[in-house]
DNA sequence: AATAATTGCTTAATCGGTTAAGCAGATTGA
DNA sequence: TCAATCTGCTTAACCGATTAAGCAATTATT
């Protein structure tokens, strides 16, 4: 029932020594600080009896290190980010770090606020899934020499550490997969975004069409606003279906789009894959529940998260000065939603 | 490009005053501390120019308050907890608090570790979704007089603040709903757990059967181990279906169970609701994707989270000494999965 | 025996704020 | 006119740890 916190001073008093001695002993610096055997074990004993727990605030204030990582993501309630957050939490703990998570809602202002709040808390480093238009924030971090690693998204014209899925390749593979399965008029719904990862997904889609001698039609590609995903996805699908060369397959370029898109396809009583083939980005248990399991591009979440933490830790420890730019391959999980009538 | 952190001392030096004065001014204590007008505005001006950001560590060390809330949940990658975490994050920020999230994996030891880690970080208060067998941890907090609020789960024999869904009532309503829709042989798959909220869900289920003159059969109720959810859910369903009085509807007592259950029903080529009615606890976008939208018990996540934060904040501020025990009603979201052939 | 090196510990500064106490000088009151 | 009060500021202790520097006492070296 030690309501009162036990400090070094308490131990020092009880052992009749200075706090310095206690600090040395409890930090395992007996050798370096030439501490006597008996007094050392006495101190340890007392610390144990009093259940001493060091005050991290004091230690951090002194050392300038908080052993805390700030994780900035779009939204923790999105399963992709939640999974990543979980991985990062675990990996950070392994490395002796605590994680503070903040949701930016894909909004540069919120992201800036978040960074400011975390900065005040003297956080040691950041893992950031950048929001749109947050390039100068990132540039700022670079200039202030604050350790950070970009995750999942990066800026091609900012030279900095990142760990990301190869979005281009993933989209290319997804599109080619549909083509291989006999689909020809393949549409994509993506976010209207300046973010490079979105652009890359679109590029991958278009290049695959091109390389496979499918000539792209403008109505096939629709971009929706993040803040109006639901309505705009519906509109997009409507128009993709009624176009002259209406699509026979759809690629959802993101989890949020997929959820809304699939829901709408249900409403329209369209059958997947008979009426429409589907490949989606993002991953979630929910995809398993669709009557027809959805083919999706599985990002290497575990590896992404772990690598991000490791890179960051190395950076924070000053063990690494070079820039690491890592692209990982997504795995196409092929299931029924992308299988044609013929192929089955 | 202020790489160097600006401290009170820097401002004081530039303004040729003591740090005390700067501190008073920047904390709006001009009146109380009788500061002159000109010097005050000069200090403010300089602070602005230098873009001064106070060091929370130092402040916290002195004040003993970190303005940080610890949130302990089972697993951030479970959508229910992710949503709750998001709400709490936002509500806490509104109140000037930062949140540190830790996942306990429904494991008392991990939960204890987490608490210890957070305790060292001098966190002001906790919101806890308790893990199984963590009663003494909670009791400990009570005895150490640490502010905390239990969320979603509570211990009937520990008198403490909590905010929870009324699990009994929710299960009762879900069961009655199935009965009202013509189902009679209603099964439930729950976690094998000593946790009170699980017991309550089971109790609600059984009492509803009882009140509706449906005599309960033992094979209808199956409890599965959290750590082997997938296999055991499959076994449970197998046995519920092959029993003499095989079930015509199932209640999944938790999100994780539902995901695995629905997946298995798909594998078995059972049709919902024609072969089997379904009602589930937990909520997730995924439920919308099932070919037949799943009826579920919607917990008032927003209100739960907000209330938890508010209770905690009041407690931390010493504005409230009484214990608050709040039960909220879940809303039954009735959809196709619980509609009988006749009723449609 | 005188000096050097080692051992075992303490002192005190430091991190960056907060805040009670106190000290001049100006103003007011009797 | 002299004490009391007010005004505007500084001093210094404090929160709890870390750690360089230093001081005796003991042991080793020549």
């Amino acid at each position: 029932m030690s309501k009162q916190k036990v400090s070094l001073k308490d131990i020092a008093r009880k052992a009749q020594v200075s706090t310095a001695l206690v600090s040395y002993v409890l930090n395992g610096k007996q050798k370096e600080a030439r501490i006597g055997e008996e007094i050392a074990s006495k101190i340890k004993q007392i610390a144990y009896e009093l259940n001493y727990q060091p005050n991290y605030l004091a230690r951090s204030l002194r050392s300038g290190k908080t052993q805390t990582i700030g994780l900035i993501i779009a939204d923790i309630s999105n399963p992709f980010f939640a999974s990543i957050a979980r991985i990062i939490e675990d990996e950070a703990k392994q490395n002796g770090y605590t994680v503070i998570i903040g949701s930016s809602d894909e909004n540069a202002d919120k992201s800036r606020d978040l960074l400011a709040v975390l900065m005040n808390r003297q956080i040691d480093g950041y893992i950031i899934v950048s929001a749109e238009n947050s390039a100068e924030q990132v540039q700022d971090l670079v200039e202030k020499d604050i350790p950070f690693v970009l995750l999942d998204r990066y800026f091609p014209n900012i030279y900095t550490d990142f760990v990301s899925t190869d979005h281009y390749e993933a989209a290319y593979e997804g599109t080619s997969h549909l083509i291989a399965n006999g689909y020809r008029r393949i549409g994509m719904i993506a976010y209207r975004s300046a973010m490079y990862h979105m652009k890359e997904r679109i590029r991958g889609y278009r290049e695959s069409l091109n390389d496979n001698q499918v000539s792209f039609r403008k109505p096939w590609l629709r971009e929706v606003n993040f803040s109006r995903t639901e309505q705009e996805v519906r509109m997009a699908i409507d128009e993709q279906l009624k176009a002259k060369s209406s699509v026979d397959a759809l690629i959802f370029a993101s989890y949020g789009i997929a959820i809304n898109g699939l829901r709408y396809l249900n409403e329209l009583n369209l059958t997947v894959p008979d009426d429409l083939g589907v490949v989606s980005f993002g991953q979630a248990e929910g995809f398993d529940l669709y009557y027809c399991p959805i083919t999706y591009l599985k990002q290497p979440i575990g590896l992404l998260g772990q690598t991000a933490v490791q890179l960051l830790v190395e950076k924070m420890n000053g063990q690494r000065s070079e820039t690491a730019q890592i692209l990982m391959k997504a795995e196409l999980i092929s299931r029924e939603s992308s299988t044609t009538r013929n192929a089955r």
Side-chain angles (χ1 to χ4, degrees), chain A residues 25-234:
Chain A
V25 170
L26 297 184
N27 286 299
K29 305 207 175 152
Q30 288 181 47
K31 297 278 150 56
E32 301 95 301
R34 308 173 313 221
I35 318 282
E37 267 306 331
E38 321 93 78
I39 198 71
S41 53
K42 181 176 175 192
I43 287 171
K44 283 183 196 156
Q45 175 64 22
I46 292 175
Y48 175 76
E49 281 168 7
L50 297 183
N51 185 30
Y52 170 72
Q53 302 296 134
N55 183 322
Y56 272 85
L57 288 178
R59 186 178 278 177
S60 297
L61 177 58
R62 177 65 214 250
S63 68
K65 301 267 158 241
T66 51
Q67 296 293 112
T68 305
I69 292 175
L71 172 62
I72 296 183
I73 57 187
D75 179 8
I76 187 70
S77 57
N78 173 318
F80 172 72
F81 295 120
S83 303
I84 274 260
R86 181 56 204 275
I87 304 284
I88 289 177
E89 181 195 331
D90 289 347
E91 187 71 17
K93 201 198 278 174
Q94 290 262 326
N95 286 275
Y97 285 86
T98 300
V99 178
I100 295 183
I101 305 173
S103 301
S104 71
D105 283 326
E106 306 277 7
N107 176 324
D109 291 334
K110 282 202 190 179
S111 159
R112 192 193 326 275
D113 286 355
L114 265 174
L115 265 176
V117 167
L118 297 182
M119 223 86 111
N120 283 2
R121 295 194 168 241
Q122 320 297 124
I123 274 172
D124 294 341
Y126 299 85
I127 295 177
I128 302 176
V129 180
S130 344
E132 198 167 2
N133 305 318
S134 67
E136 14 68 82
Q137 291 169 41
V138 172
Q139 190 62 53
D140 225 53
L141 291 177
V142 171
E143 282 163 12
K144 288 193 181 144
D145 214 22
I146 291 169
F148 73 101
V149 173
L150 296 186
L151 182 59
D152 188 51
R153 307 171 182 181
Y154 57 98
F155 301 91
N157 43 359
I158 302 184
Y159 184 65
T160 180
D161 292 325
F162 65 73
V163 184
S164 171
T165 308
D166 188 336
H167 300 288
Y168 164 81
E169 208 251 47
Y172 190 101
E173 189 180 347
T175 310
S176 302
H177 166 81
L178 282 168
I179 292 172
N181 279 351
Y183 296 93
R184 282 296 170 273
R185 302 187 310 281
I186 299 168
M188 172 179 259
I189 305 182
Y191 281 125
R192 172 166 300 122
S193 165
M195 293 298 298
Y196 190 63
H197 74 293
M198 253 322 140
K199 298 275 175 234
E200 283 289 275
R201 290 181 184 181
I202 293 172
R203 187 169 68 89
Y205 155 72
R206 296 203 46 175
E207 291 216 1
S208 168
L209 289 184
N210 204 54
D211 292 355
N212 287 284
Q213 284 81 42
V214 177
S215 69
F216 170 73
R217 308 295 178 88
K218 234 181 171 180
W220 290 354
L221 174 64
R222 301 279 312 195
E223 296 178 64
V224 301
N225 284 310
F226 177 75
S227 53
R228 301 183 61 241
T229 308
E230 185 169 357
Q231 308 95 297
E232 296 199 6
V233 164
R234 289 161 162 264

Side-chain angles (χ1 to χ4, degrees), chain A residues 276-316:
Chain A
L276 207 61
V278 169
V279 166
S280 182
F281 272 80
Q283 64 225 69
E285 287 158 326
F287 286 171
D288 296 355
L289 297 188
Y290 208 60
Y291 60 91
C292 159
I294 300 296
T295 295
Y296 65 95
L297 291 151
K298 182 180 187 176
Q299 302 196 47
I301 292 193
L303 214 52
L304 282 171
Q306 285 169 5
T307 309
V309 171
Q310 260 145 32
L311 288 180
L312 183 60
V313 168
E314 285 170 15
K315 202 80 176 217
M316 291 187 299

